[in-house]
Amino acid sequence: MDGGLILLVFLALLFAWALNRVRRALRLGPVGYVGVVVVFVIVMLAIWGQTLRG
């Protein structure tokens, strides 16, 4: 497995944990939660694509 991909998976898990805590603190609804996750996935894929071209 690619080291960068392992790092992205780790960052995704860390982000999910942090987002869960923030969601509880801010009382985000499901729509806001899904929006943040979608934006995160798009950004991570863009970063991963840049490292592949790199």
Side-chain angles (χ1 to χ4, degrees):
M1 232 173 136
D2 186 16
L5 192 58
I6 293 170
L7 179 64
L8 284 180
V9 169
F10 174 72
L11 285 174
L13 290 173
L14 188 65
F15 178 79
W17 173 81
L19 181 61
N20 208 17
R21 296 187 61 108
V22 168
R23 185 176 63 109
R24 279 195 211 126
L26 298 180
R27 311 233 189 284
L28 268 178
V31 175
Y33 188 70
V34 168
V36 171
V37 170
V38 166
V39 168
F40 175 77
V41 168
I42 290 171
V43 168
M44 283 295 122
L45 286 175
I47 292 171
W48 186 55
Q50 290 295 323
T51 59
L52 282 182
R53 278 186 231 148

